[in-house]
Amino acid sequence: MNLEEELAIEVNPWRGRLITLGVLVGIAAVIGVAVFAFFFRDESETTRATEDLVVGRATINANLIVSGVAEAQLISNLTFRTSGRVGNLAVSVGDEVEEGDILASLESDELDNAIAAAQALLAASQARLALLLEGATDAELAAATQNVVSAEVALDNAQRDLGVLLEGPSQTQLTADEQSVVTAEAALNQANRDRQSLIDGPTPPQIASANQVVISAQAALDQAMRDRQSLIDGATVAQIAQADQNVASAQAGLNLAERSLQNIMDSPTDAQVAAAQQSVAAAEASLASARASLDRLEAGPDDAVIIAAEAQVTAAEQGVASAEVAQDSADANVTVAEAAVLGAGFAYCALNPGDSICPVDVPLSTGEVDDLLDLLSDPGTDPGLITPINTLIQTNSVFLSALNAVDTAELALESAEASLEAAEANLDALTDGPSDQEINAAEAAVTAAEGGLTLAELTLDELLDGIDPDDIASAEDSVVTAQAALAAAITSRADLLDGPDAGDIARVDGAILTARAVLDTAVANQEDLLEGPDDDDFARADDQIRSARAALNAAQARRDDLLDDPESDDVDKSENTELIAEAAVGAARAVLVETERGPRQTQIAQEQANVRSSRLQVEAAQILKRNAQIISPFNGTVAAVNISLGEFAGTAAEPAIVLLTPDAVVFEMNIGETDYPQVQLDQTGVALFDALPGQPYPFRVIEIGLSPVSNQGVVTYPITGAIIVLPDAPRPAPGMSANGQIVTDSKVDVVAVPPRAIRRSGGNQVVEVRRGDSVVEQIVTTGASDNFNVEILEGLVEGDIIVVPSLITGRSGDEAPDPTLPSRIR
């Protein structure tokens, strides 16, 4: 079958002309009907019922139709500003909270301790300031007096030293200096042995000693805490008795010093001679012990010691291998963490390219992190930036931790390598036998013991020879010192009976801080000992060797100098020492005078500055604790809780707690760009919610957004209205949708008629006005209008009676319709 032949249509030249004519006729008919309906419909309409209305005044509103949803006026996604384990969760969904309530907090024992420590420092600073303002106590005056006495004693010693220098050294001094040289040599050898011991690693006795130091420091801290509590509780009978005992002890010390002076004046007793003989015997025993150590060293190590050294080498090699694996892992973690920071920085800068940290440099500086934290705490920060900021801060923290882990791994590798070298050196040393240095050290110890024996024998000989004038002078100085100590003990007893003051509290607080520092140092030393030596330990050991060598050189120089006649420089130095001692006496007396006078303004200003600094430390510690808390920023209701007690939480993307104000509801709308200029603040409107039919809700425009939102080429702007809930009306819940209108313009108190009163006659707008017994058409000029009224500019005045068509109402039994907006929107 040929489709072209089947579908072919014969063309008639009149057919198109007839179709065109028909279309023109149809169009003319439609236009005619429309014109007739527009201009002459009043003449052809069916007569309907009318009613009379009095022309009055009304308010005409121009309305903008809108749609939107109800939202809480305030809504806050609350998170912690730091990470940790949730230690307290005080709310659940639906709970009502007030502004300032603590909703949740992380475990914060360390933060609490930091606040307590800062508060203790503040209290101590305040106490020191109060003590300074009160002036010197009797105890301080007694201490200043004691300093004067001590300076005078030092002056007497300096004068005696000058006399001895001019007279020349005695045999005892020569022996003592020789002993100093021997002792310095022994100290140098000991320093060398200590360094070798450092290479060998800590021994069980050293570990036990470090543990004992920690225990002692903890006991000292506990004792300091108990002393403070005892001071606060007031002097006990035992303390008063102790003070009495101290006075008695000081008196006994004075008596002892006086008896010592008298004993020196007398001939040596049998007991003194026996004590000197005992010292000689002890020196002989030390010499025997040193010779025994030398013999053991020359004998060399046994097989068990060598096997133990070989085991140490094997363990050290395994430690090096483990440290190398840990370092490789730490380097890989740094690479991953750096990529994460750069990715988070790119995401943040894409949303906030104007920030000063963009482009991001790794790692972030402390100032940049503080700026990001300030953005998190700023209520005006764009909510879309919260998650990128948190991610950037967290990845930067992970990167810093990874860098620290690399440093730690490098140190561990260096320590392991050092341990391996030390173990190998120890094995080599054991295999090769004792070195010349060790033999020399043992021989030096023997020499030192021999020198001690010689010194003890000389002391015994000197005691038997008779009284030395220098000993008499020294005993007289001891009597003076004991007298000052007695005066200080009496003053301390009086101060104890008067009760503790701010200065006493400050001193015990200082003692607690010192004891805590000693404990921290002891723990650090213990950990350092168990971890093995590092470069700093070797540096300290080398410093001790250098110091010991310098001390040896100095002792040898003093010995050589003592053997030579005193030079003019030595005499000058001794005379200068005497002058310095005289100056110290003058300074001590000046301090005593200043103590009696009271504090200076500069001292008071310094202590006031310390108080301010301590107060800032307290505030800083409190801020750190608040960062570990979620505090309600306003009165509201908990809408969501996304954390659980005991779990780990932090600055995550998901808020820990969501808080809103269901009793304060706003109407969130979006309007087009053409309607945007018509909306102004404080304009009013009304909304009808789909979920609450039959109930209108007035609202007032309280916020006009400036940032446009574009969706598929359509630009809108956010508008917020405060909803007014009328008495006995249900409250809209957040999320409910509604339609509404905003009154954009209003004409008040104008002549107005209903829209049904106006019709067209020809080209004019007319109304029917009752003039006496007749009804006439009146041409009018109209203005603004809404769905209820039309403004009359000309043609009618207030009070005129117009005739209008009656409204068509439903049957008497029909139900009233639901309220609608003027635009008939339900």
Side-chain angles (χ1 to χ4, degrees):
M1 182 179 66
N2 191 339
L3 293 177
E4 293 183 355
E5 294 179 356
E6 292 295 329
L7 297 177
I9 301 176
E10 183 179 356
V11 178
N12 190 334
W14 289 98
R15 185 172 181 274
R17 297 173 185 175
L18 293 174
I19 292 174
T20 303
L21 179 62
V23 171
L24 293 176
V25 171
I27 294 173
V30 172
I31 294 174
V33 172
V35 170
F36 176 83
F38 183 76
F39 289 100
F40 304 105
R41 64 184 178 182
D42 57 327
E43 298 177 0
S44 62
E45 285 181 345
T46 303
T47 303
R48 56 184 291 187
T50 61
E51 59 179 328
D52 293 347
L53 294 178
V54 178
V55 176
R57 292 184 175 273
T59 296
I60 299 177
N61 296 321
N63 299 314
L64 175 64
I65 305 304
V66 295
S67 62
V69 296
E71 295 290 354
Q73 185 173 7
L74 293 176
I75 183 170
S76 182
N77 295 326
L78 305 176
T79 59
F80 296 104
R81 296 191 65 180
T82 185
S83 300
R85 193 172 305 280
V86 178
N88 180 39
L89 181 59
V91 296
S92 56
V93 176
D95 289 349
E96 295 184 358
V97 298
E98 296 183 357
E99 180 180 357
D101 288 350
I102 298 177
L103 310 184
S105 60
L106 303 178
E107 294 178 351
S108 58
D109 292 342
E110 294 183 359
L111 299 177
D112 292 337
N113 292 337
I115 293 176
Q119 289 174 340
L121 289 177
L122 174 60
S125 299
Q126 292 171 336
R128 285 194 299 271
L129 176 59
L131 180 63
L132 189 63
L133 294 175
E134 290 177 359
T137 63
D138 292 340
E140 290 173 336
L141 291 174
T145 302
Q146 175 65 24
N147 290 336
V148 172
V149 174
S150 299
E152 291 175 344
V153 171
L155 177 59
D156 293 340
N157 292 332
Q159 291 172 343
R160 284 195 300 274
D161 292 340
L162 178 59
V164 170
L165 181 64
L166 296 176
E167 293 175 359
S170 64
Q171 184 62 36
T172 302
Q173 291 175 319
L174 291 174
T175 304
D177 283 345
E178 184 66 33
Q179 178 63 28
S180 297
V181 172
V182 174
T183 302
E185 291 176 344
L188 176 59
N189 295 329
Q190 182 62 43
N192 289 320
R193 289 194 297 274
D194 290 342
R195 191 182 191 280
Q196 185 60 41
S197 299
L198 192 63
I199 296 175
D200 297 339
T203 63
Q206 290 175 325
I207 296 175
S209 178
N211 294 335
Q212 184 60 39
V213 171
V214 172
I215 294 172
S216 299
Q218 182 64 54
L221 175 59
D222 296 339
Q223 183 60 45
M225 297 293 290
R226 289 193 295 272
D227 291 343
R228 187 183 190 280
Q229 186 60 43
S230 299
L231 189 62
I232 294 174
D233 295 338
T236 63
V237 175
Q239 289 174 327
I240 295 174
Q242 182 62 43
D244 293 337
Q245 179 63 34
N246 291 340
V247 173
S249 297
Q251 182 64 54
L254 176 59
N255 297 336
L256 180 60
E258 291 174 344
R259 286 195 300 272
S260 297
L261 176 60
Q262 187 61 41
N263 291 336
I264 290 175
M265 299 299 296
D266 298 334
S267 300
T269 63
D270 295 338
Q272 292 173 323
V273 174
Q277 291 172 344
Q278 180 64 32
S279 298
V280 172
E284 291 174 344
S286 297
L287 176 59
S289 175
R291 287 175 176 169
S293 297
L294 178 60
D295 294 337
R296 287 193 300 272
L297 186 62
E298 292 175 344
D302 55 14
D303 295 339
V305 174
I306 294 177
I307 293 173
E310 290 173 345
Q312 289 180 350
V313 172
T314 302
E317 289 174 345
Q318 294 175 352
V320 170
S322 299
E324 290 174 345
V325 172
Q327 185 179 23
D328 293 340
S329 176
D331 292 336
N333 291 338
V334 168
T335 302
V336 174
E338 183 177 12
V341 176
L342 292 175
F346 178 81
Y348 172 75
C349 292
L351 296 176
N352 192 17
D355 198 318
S356 60
I357 72 171
C358 295
V360 173
D361 291 330
V362 179
L364 299 177
S365 65
T366 302
E368 292 173 340
V369 174
D370 292 339
D371 293 341
L372 292 174
L373 291 175
D374 292 339
L375 283 177
L376 285 178
S377 61
D378 187 0
T381 300
D382 186 357
L385 293 176
I386 299 301
T387 298
I389 291 175
N390 283 329
T391 303
L392 181 55
I393 293 174
Q394 290 177 352
T395 55
N396 182 68
S397 177
V398 172
F399 178 69
L400 292 177
S401 299
L403 289 178
N404 292 332
V406 169
D407 294 339
T408 302
E410 291 176 350
L411 292 176
L413 177 57
E414 292 174 359
S415 176
E417 291 173 346
S419 297
L420 176 58
E421 292 176 358
E424 291 174 344
N426 182 48
L427 178 59
D428 293 339
L430 290 175
T431 304
D432 296 338
S435 63
D436 295 339
Q437 185 181 13
E438 293 174 334
I439 297 295
N440 292 336
E443 291 174 349
V446 173
T447 303
E450 291 174 347
L453 175 59
T454 302
L455 180 61
E457 291 173 343
L458 288 175
T459 302
L460 176 60
D461 295 339
E462 187 175 343
L463 182 63
L464 296 176
D465 289 341
I467 302 173
D468 189 349
D470 292 340
D471 294 337
I472 296 175
S474 178
E476 291 174 345
D477 292 338
S478 297
V479 172
V480 175
T481 303
Q483 290 174 342
L486 175 60
I490 293 173
T491 302
S492 298
R493 179 183 182 277
D495 188 50
L496 179 65
L497 294 177
D498 291 338
D501 54 16
D504 297 328
I505 299 297
R507 281 191 292 275
V508 296
D509 288 340
I512 291 174
L513 294 177
T514 301
R516 183 172 287 113
V518 171
L519 175 60
D520 294 340
T521 301
V523 172
N525 291 336
Q526 181 189 42
E527 293 175 351
D528 186 58
L529 181 64
L530 295 177
E531 290 174 359
D534 54 16
D535 292 342
D536 292 338
D537 296 325
F538 285 110
R540 283 192 292 271
D542 292 337
D543 289 340
Q544 290 176 353
I545 292 175
R546 286 192 291 272
S547 298
R549 185 174 289 109
L552 174 60
N553 294 335
Q556 291 172 340
R558 285 194 301 272
R559 180 191 61 185
D560 296 341
D561 187 60
L562 189 63
L563 294 174
D564 298 335
D565 294 333
E567 299 178 357
S568 58
D569 292 341
D570 297 330
V571 176
D572 292 340
K573 291 179 181 178
S574 183
E575 291 175 347
N576 290 336
T577 302
E578 181 182 8
L579 294 176
I580 293 172
E582 291 177 351
V585 172
R589 290 173 177 169
V591 171
L592 177 59
V593 173
E594 186 175 355
T595 302
E596 293 173 344
R597 183 178 63 243
R600 297 180 179 178
Q601 289 300 320
T602 54
Q603 294 174 314
I604 295 175
Q606 178 64 37
E607 287 300 333
Q608 289 173 340
N610 291 338
V611 170
R612 289 192 295 271
S613 176
S614 299
R615 185 174 289 110
L616 291 176
Q617 291 180 13
V618 172
E619 294 176 357
Q622 291 172 342
I623 289 174
L624 291 177
K625 182 174 181 179
R626 286 197 295 272
N627 289 342
Q629 296 174 336
I630 294 180
I631 301 176
S632 174
F634 51 80
N635 296 345
T637 301
V638 177
V641 178
N642 301 319
I643 56 175
S644 301
L645 192 65
E647 73 176 4
F648 188 84
T651 56
E654 183 181 30
I657 295 176
V658 179
L659 186 66
L660 52 77
T661 54
D663 293 337
V665 186
V666 295
F667 188 32
E668 298 288 352
M669 303 157 278
N670 289 303
I671 64 171
E673 54 185 330
T674 57
D675 296 329
Y676 182 76
Q678 303 179 43
V679 182
Q680 304 293 330
L681 291 175
D682 294 328
Q683 288 178 341
T684 60
V686 66
L688 290 175
F689 288 92
D690 297 339
L692 302 172
Q695 179 63 54
Y697 291 87
F699 65 85
R700 178 175 61 85
V701 176
I702 61 173
E703 183 177 336
I704 300 176
L706 301 178
S707 178
V709 178
S710 179
N711 186 10
Q712 297 182 351
V714 178
V715 178
T716 59
Y717 292 84
I719 304 296
T720 302
I723 295 178
I724 301 172
V725 181
L726 301 176
D728 300 330
R731 186 175 303 278
M736 288 185 176
S737 60
N739 295 313
Q741 66 180 17
I742 299 175
V743 179
T744 58
D745 191 15
S746 180
K747 288 191 174 182
V748 181
D749 197 27
V750 297
V751 177
V753 298
R756 57 193 171 92
I758 301 174
R759 61 184 177 85
R760 301 194 67 84
S761 178
N764 299 319
Q765 292 180 312
V766 300
V767 297
E768 294 181 350
V769 183
R770 188 174 296 281
R771 306 291 188 188
D773 294 334
S774 62
V775 177
V776 300
E777 288 186 350
Q778 175 66 46
I779 298 175
V780 295
T781 302
T782 61
S785 65
D786 58 17
N787 290 334
F788 299 102
N789 295 287
V790 178
E791 179 186 10
I792 302 298
L793 300 177
E794 296 180 356
L796 293 176
V797 297
E798 184 180 4
D800 287 346
I801 298 176
I802 60 175
V803 179
V804 300
S806 298
L807 291 174
I808 299 175
T809 61
R811 296 184 300 272
S812 60
D814 291 346
E815 295 181 356
D818 290 337
T820 62
L821 299 176
S823 58
R824 314 308 295 171
I825 297 176
R826 292 184 178 273

